[in-house]
Structure formats: structure tokens, C-alpha cells
Amino acid sequence: MANSAKSIQPPKGTRDLYPQDVLVRRYIQNAWRDASLRCGFDEIEGPTFESSNLYSIKSGEGILSELFQTFSGKGGQETLDKIVAQGKADFALRPEFTPTLARMYAARAKQLPKPCKWFTAGPYFRAERPQRGRLREFLQWNCDIIGLPSDEDTPKTRALMDAETIEPCVNLLVQLGISTDSLRIKVNDRFQFERFLSSMGVKESQLDGVFALVDKIGKLAPEKLKQESIQIGLPESVYSVLFEQSKDNDTESYLRALEGKPLTSSMAPKGFESIASAVDATGLNKWCECDPFIVRGLAYYTGTVFEAIAKGERAVAGGGRYDNLIQLMGGPPTPAVGFAMGDVVLTNLLEDNNLIPDGPELMEAVAKPQASIRPEAFIAVPNNDEENRAAAQSLAATLRRGIESETYLNNESRKPWNPDRYAVRPLHTRTSYKSTTNPGKLRKDADSQHAKYFIEIHAPNKVELTDMDKREAITSPTHGSFSINPTDPNFIGSALNELL
């Protein structure tokens, strides 16, 4: 007699992962963690479900329809009917991490250092229609910087924190073999876009609706965009500039002047000078460009916003500055910036570009030692000279990315998991955010973070190195001091590569 039992399918929008699939996922998770640690981020974790109020406080009651809300079964049908009638249960599975992070920081704001650089990666859930690049259950990586160094609240300092948030995202992409040929980091400033909209007659009460609408460009059909623009009362003249790329209105030149503009100090558009300078210092300029249509539709963003956009894919990552959220969660006013990256779009991108190892190569790639939790290098500038501070940022960026070997670069069939990839491997590198110029206090800062080696930059070609465990100075056998120039024989990175 034939077995008449029906097979039970997995829930729609989820994935069954067999051994090979788990290895691929672990390969990505390891890369996330390595990129975070090397850029000086500390790992945190939070619960996989939260109070529903946490999400409605941040995004409004409407967000609850997009969440998997939880019902324990206690209280029976009467309790369930009440939940359905109200559209709100006590708890919901987390759709993102930012509200949890804001809650955690607010709870201990007085005891925490400034800035806090935190990362986490884990499962998240959204009750929405599954499609390419978007599932109901997925993994997500988050990196955030909360607070500013020594309360230095200046556009330059904020821009540096913005760039240091983008840095692990770019390092991750480089580590996995993604190039600028297939992906760009698109950057915009919400404040500037607000001023532009206001100059065109958009009311303050309409701004959130316009941001949400601009965020849907390419995701909704033109007729649907038009319909929603009418619902929020958007003037026809504004609609034609934003969504039809009208050439009849002089104001549209603002948008075209920004679109695709490289984000470098020498070419930065007006208003983007600070972020361009910070992007230059951290070596991200070839990845970043301006895009006035990147607005991140969520209402809590303030200032810089960005997305990693790959050809033919949804955004691989996205984030920005959210300076009001900590206070909204009961904490003190605290500037903050962060981004998130899901594993679904990233995996699609890697598969499409043949950048996932297979068989023994995958096993070897997953088994490689991960980035050191303990900082391997700590860079300080005792005299606080502006030029040397820029040199410290540049050196930190170089050490975090590593330097690829000539053998690897000359191999036309190279893959990012090749064992001969690095002449100087990527290192977990931190810098001091303290305003002091006292060498003793800077060493104490390095000590408190358990750094292995302390680097003092007195000039680009006068760099001193100290073994923090042995409390011994290390000198270059050929030049005495070290250099920050990777082409010099006494490059500090090469010395660290041999010591570690």
C-alpha cells in the first residue's frame, strides 16, 4: 500500500541548510566577524525577541504589521482573540538590531566609553513576501559607533565616525573579493536633501513621506509612485523632478550635480567636504560616491546615509546616522551611526561572481584562524600634529586591510581565499580617541585595551614600536625607527607581520 502521508514543507521564506550550505554560511559569518574585529569593533549580543513597544516607539504602530509577533499559547483563545483584535502582542521577533542596541546603550550610557564601537551578527525575522534577496528569516551583520571621542562634537569628528563605520563594510567586501567594478558605496546627506525639498515647497510634515517614497524608486512601478505621491500631497513640480528626472526645472540641477560624483577631497560637492576628507583618510575614496537619491526611508535617520549598491541587486548593505534614537530609548542625547548587511543578497552577489569556495577549498577557508580578538596594533600620535593624525588614520586603514602579495596580484586566476594572498596579513588595529598628547596616558589607553604592540607616529618616517607584553622597544635593524610607507624596507606593517 502506497504511503499517503503528505510531505511537510519548510515555512515559506526560510531555508533548509545542509552541510555544504552551513559551511558557506559559516564562511560569510567568519568574514563578518574578521572585518569587525580588525576595525576595532567589540562584539555584543541581544535577545532574538523584544517588547513590541520597542519597535513601535522607533517606527510607529504601523511597523507591527511587518513583524512576527509572539503568542505563547497561555490564556487560550480569549487571549489570542484579544491580540488579533488589537493587532499587537506583548513581544515580537526582532526584524533589526538598532532598537535593541539603542536600548542596551541607554541602559548603561554613563558607564560606557566614548565612542562605543559595537558589532553583532545573528538571525532576524520579517513577516513580508519572500522574493530574490529578501526572506522571512535571514542573518544580519550590524556595526555601529555610538558617541563621539571626548565629546568633540564637530562636523569633522562626526564625519570621521561615519567613515569608520563604512570601513568594515568595505573591508568585508575586499576580503570576499568584491571589487569597485561591481559595487559602489552610495552616500548622501539627509539634512541637505531636506533643505533642497524645502526650497521646492515641500512642507516639513511631508518630509518623512517623501523620504519613504524616494526610497522606493526602482522598487515600485511609476503609476504606484504617482499614486502614493498624490496621497501625501506632493506638488506636481516636485514629483516631476524626483521621479521623472524633469529637465524643465532648474532645481533638478542640484540632483544631477551630485549623482555619481566621486567622494574625494579634491572633487567633493559643497556640503560633503567633511565626509570626503574622512573617506580619503580611511582609504575608502575609490569605493564611495555621492547619490542624492539614497535617503534610507526610515524616519530616524539624521545626516549621513549610505548604501552598498551592486549591479543588478538590492542594496547589499545600508545605514547612516541616527542621532536621536538613544534619547528616544531613555538615554542621554547621543550621536550614533551604523549599518546592517544581510546574508541573502550578499550570498547572491558572491555566487553570481563565482566568489564562494567549494569542496576542500571551502573547508580550508572556513578553518582558517579568525581575526585576533586582542588588538594586535595600537596607534597613537603623541604630539597630536594634524598631519600625523591623518597619517595614523591612513596607517590604521592599511593594517586593517593588509597588503596583498605580488604573487597573488600576478595570478590571473586568483581567488580571495588563496593562502598566498597577503604579504602583510590584515591586523586588528586600534587608534586612540583620547585628546591627550601625553605619551604615558596614550600607552595607558593601549594597555587598557590589551594591545600587543604600541605604535607612536612622530613623523611618517619616524615611527616607534613597543612590545606591550615585554615593555620593550623594538627597532628596525636597518633604520632604527620604522616608516608608514608600505614600499619602504622598514615599513611598520612588515615588522608586525614578522612579530605576530
Side-chain angles (χ1 to χ4, degrees), residues 11-15 63 66-68 95-96 124-140 215-216 218-219 296-298 307 309 312-318 340-349:
K12 193 173 183 180
T14 65
R15 293 168 288 185
I63 189 67
E66 302 175 14
L67 308 184
F68 283 107
E96 58 171 316
Y124 294 83
F125 312 86
R126 283 187 179 269
E128 57 187 8
R129 182 173 64 86
Q131 51 192 293
R132 177 177 169 83
R134 191 175 287 271
L135 297 177
R136 288 174 171 167
E137 181 185 30
F138 53 95
L139 294 184
Q140 186 169 283
D215 198 44
K216 295 176 182 177
K219 305 171 188 175
R296 307 290 294 163
L298 296 174
E307 290 184 355
I309 304 292
E313 285 290 353
R314 291 174 173 271
V316 179
M341 174 186 289
D343 73 313
V344 182
V345 177
L346 178 62
T347 302
N348 290 342
L349 181 64

Side-chain angles (χ1 to χ4, degrees), residues 112-234:
L112 292 169
K114 294 182 180 180
C116 274
K117 297 177 71 172
W118 285 347
F119 83 94
T120 189
Y124 294 83
F125 312 86
R126 283 187 179 269
E128 57 187 8
R129 182 173 64 86
Q131 51 192 293
R132 177 177 169 83
R134 191 175 287 271
L135 297 177
R136 288 174 171 167
E137 181 185 30
F138 53 95
L139 294 184
Q140 186 169 283
W141 171 44
N142 300 265
C143 290
D144 295 81
I145 300 181
I146 309 102
L148 295 171
S150 304
D151 294 321
E152 296 178 11
D153 194 353
T154 65
K156 184 176 181 180
T157 305
R158 287 181 178 236
L160 179 59
M161 297 299 99
D162 294 345
E164 288 198 11
T165 303
I166 298 173
E167 186 179 15
C169 179
V170 169
N171 283 11
L172 178 281
L173 297 169
V174 172
Q175 182 180 338
L176 293 178
I178 303 296
S179 73
T180 54
D181 293 335
S182 57
L183 185 143
R184 284 285 195 279
I185 308 295
K186 309 275 192 173
V187 182
N188 195 21
D189 186 313
R190 292 253 301 214
F191 285 149
Q192 290 204 63
F193 198 68
E194 282 183 12
R195 288 193 289 269
F196 167 68
L197 292 173
S198 297
S199 71
M200 296 177 65
V202 176
K203 299 175 183 177
E204 185 176 352
S205 59
Q206 296 175 313
L207 288 174
D208 287 347
V210 176
F211 283 139
L213 210 54
V214 172
D215 198 44
K216 295 176 182 177
I217 292 177
K219 305 171 188 175
L220 289 183
E223 58 271 17
K224 183 64 174 175
L225 281 173
K226 181 68 173 179
Q227 181 183 350
E228 292 193 14
S229 74
I230 293 172
Q231 290 174 354
I232 65 172
L234 190 66

Side-chain angles (χ1 to χ4, degrees), residues 378-393 431-432 434-439 442 454-459:
F378 189 97
I379 303 173
V381 181
N383 61 11
N384 209 26
D385 177 80
E386 190 70 24
E387 181 179 346
N388 289 340
R389 288 179 70 179
Q393 293 166 10
T431 58
S432 179
K434 295 188 178 298
S435 57
T436 180
T437 61
N438 184 300
L442 291 170
F454 182 72
I455 299 170
E456 294 179 66
I457 299 181
H458 298 277

Side-chain angles (χ1 to χ4, degrees), residues 369-429:
Q370 283 205 254
S372 172
I373 295 176
R374 186 181 178 189
E376 294 164 299
F378 189 97
I379 303 173
V381 181
N383 61 11
N384 209 26
D385 177 80
E386 190 70 24
E387 181 179 346
N388 289 340
R389 288 179 70 179
Q393 293 166 10
S394 177
L395 176 61
T398 299
L399 296 180
R400 289 164 177 166
R401 279 195 301 273
I403 298 177
E404 293 173 334
S405 68
E406 290 296 326
T407 302
Y408 176 79
L409 293 173
N410 291 330
N411 180 1
E412 293 184 359
S413 60
R414 62 182 178 270
K415 292 294 184 181
W417 52 84
N418 289 166
D420 64 351
R421 180 173 182 179
Y422 292 106
V424 176
R425 66 174 180 82
L427 301 176
H428 178 172
T429 305

